[in-house]
Amino acid sequence: MGWIDNHCHLDGEDDPAEVVAAARAAGVEAMVCVGVTVERSEACIRLAQQFDDVFATAGVHPHDASGGIDGLAELFGRAGGGGGPVAVGECGLDYHYDNSPRDAQRKVFAQQIQLAHESGLPLVIHTRDAWDDTFATLDSEGLPGRTVFHCFTGGPGEADAALERGALLSVSGIATFPGAVELREAVAGAPLQSLMVETDSPYLTPVPHRGRPNRPEFVRHVGEEVAALKGVDTAEVAEVTSANARAFYGIS
C-alpha cells in the first residue's frame, strides 16, 4: 500500500532528509509540505526542489494574517514545475486563537482565494471555530475548482456544507481520538472519493503514537482509522485517497 501525506510541515524538521527517508520506508509515496508564511513557503519550495517526492504549497496562515501577503504572489511564477508551489495555502480563518485580528484574517483569506483563481491552483483551507465566516467568504469570492478543508474538524453538518460546495475533506490524526465523536461521524458518512489523509506533522500525532512529535510515516494510522470508520479495506483507502491527492495537487 502506498500513501500520500497531503499536509505536513517538513520545513520545521531538524533533519528533513531523515524524516523523508523514514516516510518512504513506511510506504509514503509523496508528501506535501505546506507553507504558512512567505518565508516558510520559500523553505517548503526548497525542500520540494531537494526531494522528488516532496511537493510545496505557498500561503499565509490566519495566525500571520496581520502581516499581509506581500511577496506571496511572486512565489507562484514557477508553479507546477521545478519545485514550484502546487497549491495556495494554508489559509483561512482561526477564531479559536485570534492571533491576528479577524478583519485582517478575512482580508488575507479573500486575497489568497483570488490567488487560487488567478493561478488555477488548488486552495488549502485552515478553519477553526469560524465555519460561518469561512463559508461566507468562499461564497462571496467563489470556490476555486479544487479546494480542500485541511485537518477537517467539523461534524456531519459542516462536512455536508463543504461537500455541497464541491470541496474535499482532509482527515488528520484527530480522527483516531475517541473523543472526536462528531468528526468521526462526519468521516464515516463522507464519500471516500471526497477524502484525503494527512498528518499535519509535527502536530496532531495519531493513536498509537500520542505523546511524541508527528511524522509523515504515521499517515497510515489515519488511513487505517478512516477504513475502520467506513467499514472498508485499508488498501482501498490508500488507493482512493492517494488518487484523490494526485488529482487534487496535479502531482505524479
Side-chain angles (χ1 to χ4, degrees):
M1 286 183 294
W3 298 96
I4 292 181
D5 182 356
N6 96 102
H7 195 112
C8 57
H9 299 284
L10 299 174
D11 60 299
E13 296 287 352
D14 292 333
D15 187 355
E18 184 276 327
V19 176
V20 170
R24 290 170 179 163
V28 179
E29 297 176 346
M31 292 149 270
V32 181
C33 183
V34 176
V36 293
T37 66
V38 173
E39 294 76 16
R40 290 189 63 182
S41 296
E42 291 173 331
C44 290
I45 292 169
R46 289 193 294 271
L47 288 170
Q49 293 169 337
Q50 182 178 353
F51 302 105
D52 289 341
D53 46 2
V54 173
F55 300 86
T57 79
V60 174
H61 193 284
H63 288 345
D64 298 282
S66 57
I69 63 168
D70 287 350
L72 181 63
E74 287 72 17
L75 299 182
F76 292 91
R78 16 190 195 96
V86 296
V88 178
E90 62 184 283
C91 59
L93 305 175
D94 192 313
Y95 292 175
H96 182 79
Y97 289 106
D98 280 326
N99 286 350
S100 287
R102 294 184 180 184
D103 59 345
Q105 291 188 47
R106 290 188 288 267
K107 176 182 177 181
V108 165
F109 183 29
Q111 289 174 326
Q112 291 178 89
I113 294 171
Q114 290 308 311
L115 264 180
H117 285 306
E118 293 164 8
S119 65
L121 291 174
L123 182 72
V124 180
I125 295 176
H126 169 110
T127 184
R128 187 170 185 186
D129 294 346
W131 287 105
D132 289 346
D133 279 3
T134 297
F135 287 131
T137 303
L138 287 168
D139 292 343
S140 173
E141 301 296 328
L143 193 83
R146 291 171 289 164
T147 296
V148 63
F149 284 86
H150 119 82
C151 188
F152 180 76
T153 55
E158 290 79 15
D160 288 345
L163 296 172
E164 287 167 2
R165 288 168 169 81
L168 274 65
L169 311 178
S170 181
V171 185
S172 73
I174 296 175
T176 70
F177 302 172
V181 176
E182 290 192 354
L183 167 62
R184 289 162 61 85
E185 290 176 356
V187 172
L192 185 56
Q193 290 73 19
S194 296
L195 300 180
M196 294 191 285
V197 290
E198 66 171 88
T199 58
D200 200 18
S201 67
Y203 316 109
L204 302 177
T205 308
V207 175
H209 296 289
R210 298 295 294 157
R212 58 180 292 191
N214 204 359
R215 294 162 62 98
E217 67 192 84
F218 298 154
V219 72
R220 69 179 180 87
H221 297 297
V222 180
E224 289 166 354
E225 192 65 32
V226 170
L229 290 169
K230 299 191 67 60
V232 300
D233 290 339
T234 300
E236 181 180 359
V237 174
E239 179 181 1
V240 174
T241 60
S242 294
N244 291 344
R246 289 190 179 94
F248 183 85
Y249 292 105
I251 62 178
S252 60

